[in-house]
């Protein structure tokens, strides 16, 4: 379930806030004078490096609890090959992104998943509908997945009934995913990755996971190496639908020893659980419906909880980020202090490289606004390849646009024009419509004192 989007000043993110609950959630112009849209090549996922003891705990908490906190009585998955079909009015990019994702699921997670022949029924129906239709069915959601139905028109009258209850499932046979068909290609793809992963695998999200789409911070937008490892374990032959938490826990050590031998001798980290008070504070600070004062109070409360918990990981960093975000307009220097603190904690957290790239957009933007192209260039340099490796076109285009402004400040105008042109192809995928791409271009260009 996508609870809320990480709201960056310089970066549009994939999905809008979702009210906490038990439902897992997350058109190109005909012609344009912008460069052609760019897409990513072969995936380059980074494999997780941590103890199998920690991975077993992650697996159990992801698989036996909903985001609302409700426990799931038994383990459920599809038993046998999984067929997928697309209905509704899908955008042009969806077919390619779906095929790439299913190829990854087959090759990385060893899941038998395939696209059903046109007109045939399928285990998973992906219905592409308008964002307004999605919000009518589930307010504030950008995308979501539910069991035992195939169309969005079926969902609203069956919402909160036993038919669509994940807790009542004993095996998975028929599910529906609802994706927007009037969003940017990246937003559609991001929703596809998270919702398909939850349709076939774990239903929970955990803030403590730095390198996963199963995290409400929405930093990762495509399935990571950690996610594929979890899904591979989910479909291991040792498990089956209907098993209890204890039965699954008993089998996990031999499963993880087989599929992740490198984690056998690593020391366990035993990351602390995330208190609901912290999650609620972050939701208030960055989600919808709160006043500016309430947001700031909530962000400070999230940081107080993080400090009291003794966290020095990405959750402490995220609390600093939230405070920085909310202080940008009123106290830019204090905001930058929080962003620098966030960067330091992210740097000390294995698996949080992509988080640092997000913070770098804030730090570099501030340097550019002060006419400091050199600092901006140094800040941006490590993160461009990280954005590309993680297939985040919106972030990649933002980093490149910032780099172009920094180059202009250094007097390297020809290089700046080349980098800016390169960024626009990624922006076409990340932000979608021509007006959104141009708005992003103007927004970042306006940071530079050279542009007034």
């Amino acid at each position: 379930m996508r609870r809320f989007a990480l709201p960056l000043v310089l970066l549009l993110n994939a999905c809008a806030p979702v009210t906490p609950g038990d439902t897992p959630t997350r058109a190109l112009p005909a012609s344009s004078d912008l460069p052609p849209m760019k897409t990513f090549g072969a995936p380059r996922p980074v494999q997780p490096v941590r103890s199998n003891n920690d991975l077993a705990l992650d697996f159990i908490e992801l698989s036996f609890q909903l985001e609302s906190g409700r426990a799931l009585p038994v383990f459920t998955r599809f038993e046998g090959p999984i067929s997928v079909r697309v209905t509704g009015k899908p955008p042009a990019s969806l077919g390619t992104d779906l095929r790439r994702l299913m190829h990854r699921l087959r090759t990385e997670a060893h899941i038998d998943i395939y696209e059903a022949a046109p007109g045939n029924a399928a285990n998973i129906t992906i219905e592409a509908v308008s964002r307004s239709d999605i919000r009518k069915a589930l307010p504030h959601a950008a995308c979501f997945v539910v069991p035992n139905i195939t169309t969005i028109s079926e969902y609203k009258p069956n919402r909160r009934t036993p038919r669509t209850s994940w807790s009542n499932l004993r095996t998975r046979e028929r599910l529906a995913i609802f994706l927007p068909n009037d969003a940017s290609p990246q937003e559609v793809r991001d929703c596809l990755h998270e919702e398909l992963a939850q349709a076939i695998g774990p239903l929970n999200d955990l803030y403590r996971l730095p390198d996963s789409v199963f995290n409400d911070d929405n930093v990762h937008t495509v399935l990571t190496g950690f996610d594929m490892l979890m899904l591979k374990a989910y479909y291991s032959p040792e498990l089956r639908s209907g098993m209890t938490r204890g039965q699954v826990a008993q089998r996990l050590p031999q499963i993880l020893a087989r599929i992740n031998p490198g984690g056998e001798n690593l020391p366990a980290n035993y990351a602390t659980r995330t208190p609901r008070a912290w999650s609620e504070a972050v939701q208030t600070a960055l989600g919808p419906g709160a006043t500016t004062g309430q947001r700031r109070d909530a962000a400070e409360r999230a940081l107080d909880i993080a400090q009291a918990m003794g966290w020095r990981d990405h959750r402490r960093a995220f609390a600093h980020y939230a405070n920085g975000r909310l202080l940008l307009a009123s106290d830019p220097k204090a905001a930058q202090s929080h962003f620098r603190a966030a960067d330091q904690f992210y740097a000390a957290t294995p698996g949080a490289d992509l988080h640092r790239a997000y913070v770098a957009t804030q730090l570099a933007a501030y340097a550019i606004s002060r006419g400091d192209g050199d600092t901006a260039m140094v800040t941006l340099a490590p993160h461009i390849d990280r954005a590309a490796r993680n297939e985040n076109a919106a972030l990649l285009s933002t980093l490149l646009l910032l780099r172009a402004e920094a180059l202009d400040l250094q007097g390297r105008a020809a290089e700046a024009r080349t980098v800016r042109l390169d960024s626009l192809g990624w922006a076409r995928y990340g932000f979608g419509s021509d007006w959104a791409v141009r708005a992003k271009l103007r927004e970042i260009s306006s940071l530079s004192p050279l542009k007034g």
Side-chain angles (χ1 to χ4, degrees), residues 294-306:
Q294 290 170 332
R295 292 179 190 280
R296 289 178 180 170
D297 289 345
E300 291 177 2
R301 189 162 62 252
L303 184 55
D304 288 343
I305 293 171

Side-chain angles (χ1 to χ4, degrees), residues 184-230:
S184 72
Q186 178 166 320
E187 181 176 342
V188 177
R189 183 211 62 187
D190 295 354
C191 281
L192 172 67
H193 274 244
E194 179 164 352
E195 305 315 322
L196 187 56
Q198 293 193 308
I200 64 177
L203 295 165
N204 196 9
D205 280 346
L206 298 172
Y207 272 112
R208 72 165 186 264
L209 302 176
D211 53 350
S212 174
V213 301
F214 299 114
N215 187 324
D216 272 328
D217 66 13
N218 288 351
V219 169
H220 286 278
T221 57
V222 299
L223 294 179
T224 66
F226 171 89
D227 300 328
M228 287 296 181
L229 184 63
M230 288 292 102

Side-chain angles (χ1 to χ4, degrees), residues 287-364:
T291 66
T292 299
Q294 290 170 332
R295 292 179 190 280
R296 289 178 180 170
D297 289 345
E300 291 177 2
R301 189 162 62 252
L303 184 55
D304 288 343
I305 293 171
Q307 291 171 330
M309 294 292 294
W311 290 340
R312 302 187 64 81
D313 61 9
H314 57 290
R315 291 170 292 182
R316 172 77 172 271
F318 194 51
H320 279 293
Y321 174 81
N323 279 272
R325 167 68 182 87
L326 294 168
L327 289 170
L328 270 173
S330 61
D331 193 343
K333 288 186 178 179
Q336 292 306 304
S337 178
H338 279 293
F339 290 138
R340 286 192 293 272
D343 185 62
Q344 290 171 1
F345 284 111
Y346 281 138
T349 304
D353 286 347
L354 187 60
H355 300 67
R356 293 191 70 195
Y358 279 80
V359 178
T361 64
Q362 301 287 358
L363 297 172

Side-chain angles (χ1 to χ4, degrees), residues 57-116:
L57 179 60
D58 294 338
F59 186 94
I60 291 295
E61 291 195 22
L62 285 170
S63 305
F64 282 91
Q65 186 169 298
L66 296 169
E67 289 182 38
S68 63
R70 181 183 299 178
L72 292 169
V74 296
F75 176 81
T76 64
R77 69 180 188 188
F78 287 98
E79 301 295 338
I82 305 170
S83 56
V84 180
R85 68 170 180 168
V86 177
T87 63
K89 297 180 179 179
S93 60
L94 179 57
T96 299
D97 284 332
L98 175 59
R99 287 188 290 274
R100 291 185 80 241
L101 175 55
M102 289 199 297
H103 177 74
R104 286 193 62 198
L105 290 169
R106 287 191 295 267
T107 57
E108 296 177 42
H110 297 175
I111 295 173
D112 188 358
I113 187 169
Y114 66 96
E115 194 166 1

